[in-house]
Amino acid sequence: LWDASGNPVNDAQATEYFYLKSGTSAGIHGYRSGGRAVLRVHVLWFGWPPGGSGAGSWRPAGGREVTLFEKRHGAWQPVSGIVRTDASGTVRLRVPESWAHYFRVQVAETQRLWGDTSSPVKA
């Protein structure tokens, strides 16, 4: 890509810049332990190599804001406040519940990364 003057957009002389918004992928896994749902959330983002040449890859999304939801009475309701993923893109949560429920996680959108909502998991 080039700017109006013919400079490549990754050149220091370029007068125009743009950002590609990258994709996000959220997954959730869970199990029950002693009257609790134990949930592990993993968030990835799709990144391109510097300069934009070559193939991109999915990378751990550290520091992303996520909210956990539980299905109650047919509607998704937040269970947690906003929490952040660790450097490996992971959050571990324990939710006290006497019986199994469906859970999902929603990742907040940022200026450069799309948000995502995981598929539900029963725990």
Side-chain angles (χ1 to χ4, degrees), residues 69-79 97 99-102:
F69 290 86
E70 177 180 21
K71 195 162 196 177
R72 286 189 173 266
H73 309 293
W76 290 103
Q77 299 177 8
V79 173
E97 286 296 345
W99 66 89
H101 284 85
Y102 283 96

Side-chain angles (χ1 to χ4, degrees), residues 37-41 66-68 80 83 91-95 105:
V38 180
L39 304 164
R40 180 180 172 269
V41 174
V66 300
T67 305
L68 180 69
S80 70
V83 294
V91 172
R92 287 180 177 79
L93 298 162
R94 295 176 192 270
V95 181
V105 66

Side-chain angles (χ1 to χ4, degrees), residues 2-123:
W2 294 267
D3 69 5
S5 301
N7 299 309
V9 293
N10 61 350
D11 187 334
Q13 297 179 42
T15 58
E16 300 169 20
Y17 295 91
F18 71 95
Y19 296 99
L20 293 176
K21 201 160 187 172
S22 293
T24 297
S25 174
I28 185 170
H29 303 281
Y31 63 92
R32 299 205 44 82
S33 176
R36 291 183 184 184
V38 180
L39 304 164
R40 180 180 172 269
V41 174
H42 194 68
V43 181
L44 302 171
W45 70 281
F46 193 82
W48 298 95
S53 61
S57 61
W58 288 98
R59 303 170 185 189
R64 292 294 301 274
E65 294 181 350
V66 300
T67 305
L68 180 69
F69 290 86
E70 177 180 21
K71 195 162 196 177
R72 286 189 173 266
H73 309 293
W76 290 103
Q77 299 177 8
V79 173
S80 70
I82 295 171
V83 294
R84 288 190 180 271
T85 58
D86 64 17
S88 68
T90 303
V91 172
R92 287 180 177 79
L93 298 162
R94 295 176 192 270
V95 181
E97 286 296 345
S98 54
W99 66 89
H101 284 85
Y102 283 96
F103 295 92
R104 71 179 185 187
V105 66
Q106 189 171 38
V107 182
E109 183 175 332
T110 70
Q111 183 179 359
R112 294 189 184 178
L113 297 169
W114 292 107
D116 191 32
T117 301
S118 71
S119 298
V121 65
K122 189 173 186 176

